[in-house]
Amino acid sequence: MQVPVSEMKKKFKEVLMTSGAEEKDVDVMVDLRLEQDLHHNYFSGLGEVETSLKELEESKGKQHTFEADKPAIKLVNCNGRAAGLVCADLLPTLYDMARQQGIGLIGYYNGGYQSMPEYFARKIAAQDLVGLLSGAGGPQSVVPYGGSKDIMGTNPLAYGIPTNSLPIVFDAATAKYPYGSIRITKERGQKLPERSYLDKEGNWTTDPAVATSIIPFGEHRGYAINLLLEVLDGALMRAKSGLLQKDENDLGGFLIAIDPAAFGSLEEFKAQTTKLAEDIEAVKPAEGFSEVRVPGYKGERFKQKAVADDSIEVEDAVWHKFEAQYAKHVGKQEG
């Protein structure tokens, strides 16, 4: 069904305000969740009401602290404050680090799962900086290549590259599929793709009711990248890696911003990235394809049109479920 974007944002904020959290944190959470819908991602932020409320409620009164504080590197203990909120708090610091040192890296731990690296990749690119981000996706859900027991997390990787037009933005799990695909497939009454998921005994399955783990993307190459991020997000950031992870409190992650101006002309850099994107889109599609895409362009164009038209297509089941949650939380408060 078609829903006004303004109504979607307004109602989502009203629900999250019932958490009693500071309005600035609520605004960040609204942006984080609804970017998924506005960029037509696989997951809908509208379906994450309870998770958002929980993160806001558990973050109240908590502040991050610096465990390492150097000009180009900082390590942050979130102290139980949601990692997404902490990352938003630290963006201005990250920008300053990159502009002063040419590069800035902020690692974090003890803040749970950071589910929207794409949001931060876009924010960094909007500052004419190159962003590279990851956040541990766990505990265990991905098997090592050729194995039958999950050891690593889904460990998403994201980047943002500024151009003179739309930023080039990528965000994906380094598992073959995101872990949430199991839940969504189950809700839709569908079967999972073959030879991609395993049950708790390590057997292949297409049944989302028994699937517990996923293979890495890209066979042994993807496995190696997933493993690298397991270490960078975990052990390097004073979080946990592999089987040492017991729950989401053991997860970590990082944000990196690089200033192209530290290497030379920013204008020349953006001229090249712009031409690269244009050249990619100009490539004749191969047989079986209708177009050649630049990462992040389709989603951003979808968002721009939705915002301009103040209208977005939302699955009927998703919107009806959200409306029920809205009535539950906002109606209860008004009553």
Side-chain angles (χ1 to χ4, degrees):
M1 62 169 49
Q2 291 296 130
V3 176
V5 172
S6 54
E7 179 185 353
M8 178 178 72
K9 287 186 171 182
K10 176 178 177 292
K11 285 190 169 181
F12 199 73
K13 180 175 179 176
E14 288 176 352
V15 173
L16 299 194
M17 285 298 293
T18 65
S19 67
E22 292 185 36
E23 187 170 5
K24 70 177 183 64
D25 285 348
V26 170
D27 287 338
V28 168
M29 192 66 73
V30 170
D31 286 347
L32 279 171
R33 300 305 189 201
L34 296 189
E35 278 291 283
Q36 298 177 86
D37 300 87
L38 290 172
H39 282 101
H40 206 237
N41 288 355
Y42 182 73
F43 298 104
S44 169
L46 287 170
E48 299 182 43
V49 168
E50 301 303 333
T51 298
S52 301
L53 285 169
K54 183 173 183 288
E55 289 186 1
L56 287 167
E57 289 166 356
E58 293 181 351
S59 295
K60 287 189 293 186
K62 297 176 180 177
Q63 295 295 326
H64 64 266
T65 53
F66 291 101
E67 302 297 325
D69 193 353
K70 299 181 180 181
I73 296 176
K74 300 188 188 302
L75 179 65
V76 173
N77 183 342
C78 297
N79 293 315
R81 181 169 165 79
L85 299 179
V86 172
C87 288
D89 294 339
L90 293 171
L91 280 179
T93 300
L94 182 69
Y95 303 153
D96 289 343
M97 292 165 64
R99 293 190 176 112
Q100 292 172 15
Q101 310 300 324
I103 186 170
L105 185 158
I106 297 180
Y108 58 87
Y109 70 101
N110 195 21
Y113 177 51
Q114 204 287 82
S115 62
M116 271 298 290
E118 177 185 347
Y119 173 84
F120 296 101
R122 290 187 181 279
K123 288 286 189 181
I124 294 169
Q127 295 291 316
D128 283 337
L129 304 170
V130 176
L132 181 63
L133 309 88
S134 182
Q140 304 78 32
S141 54
V142 176
V143 300
Y145 179 66
S148 59
K149 176 177 174 53
D150 48 330
I151 299 291
M152 287 82 65
T154 55
N155 303 343
L157 178 67
Y159 63 73
I161 300 171
T163 76
N164 288 323
S165 180
L166 301 177
I168 302 169
V169 178
F170 173 81
D171 175 13
T174 52
K176 187 174 182 180
Y177 299 102
Y179 194 77
S181 61
I182 297 174
R183 171 180 57 81
I184 289 180
T185 302
K186 183 178 180 181
E187 290 174 352
R188 293 175 176 173
Q190 300 171 341
K191 287 189 176 297
L192 296 165
E194 294 187 355
R195 297 186 70 83
S196 299
Y197 298 81
L198 299 95
D199 61 23
K200 63 180 181 180
E201 283 80 32
N203 301 309
W204 295 115
T205 183
T206 60
D207 184 354
V210 300
T212 58
S213 59
I214 313 172
I215 64 172
F217 86 100
E219 299 183 327
H220 62 285
R221 296 178 180 86
Y223 156 56
I225 293 171
N226 175 270
L227 175 57
L228 170 64
L229 294 174
E230 186 74 17
V231 174
L232 296 184
D233 291 331
L236 188 63
M237 300 304 162
R238 290 196 195 173
K240 299 290 192 301
S241 295
L243 296 178
L244 293 176
Q245 291 179 358
K246 302 305 179 185
D247 54 42
E248 287 197 355
N249 293 322
D250 292 331
L251 306 181
F254 63 86
L255 305 88
I256 296 174
I258 303 169
D259 187 2
F263 296 85
S265 167
L266 174 63
E267 290 71 23
E268 174 60 24
F269 173 83
K270 292 176 69 177
Q272 287 206 37
T273 58
T274 302
K275 184 177 186 306
L276 179 59
E278 291 172 348
D279 289 347
I280 290 171
E281 288 198 305
V283 171
K284 179 182 177 181
E287 182 179 353
F289 292 84
S290 60
E291 61 180 329
V292 180
R293 298 174 182 169
V294 175
Y297 274 31
K298 182 181 180 181
E300 184 61 18
R301 286 167 177 158
F302 180 89
K303 176 183 177 179
Q304 289 181 355
K305 185 177 188 308
V307 172
D309 295 345
D310 193 26
S311 179
I312 187 170
E313 178 72 23
V314 178
E315 289 184 21
D316 289 1
V318 171
W319 184 252
H320 292 322
K321 181 179 179 181
F322 170 71
E323 288 275 57
Q325 291 174 314
Y326 178 85
K328 170 187 173 183
H329 292 285
V330 178
K332 178 180 178 180
Q333 187 182 56
E334 290 176 347

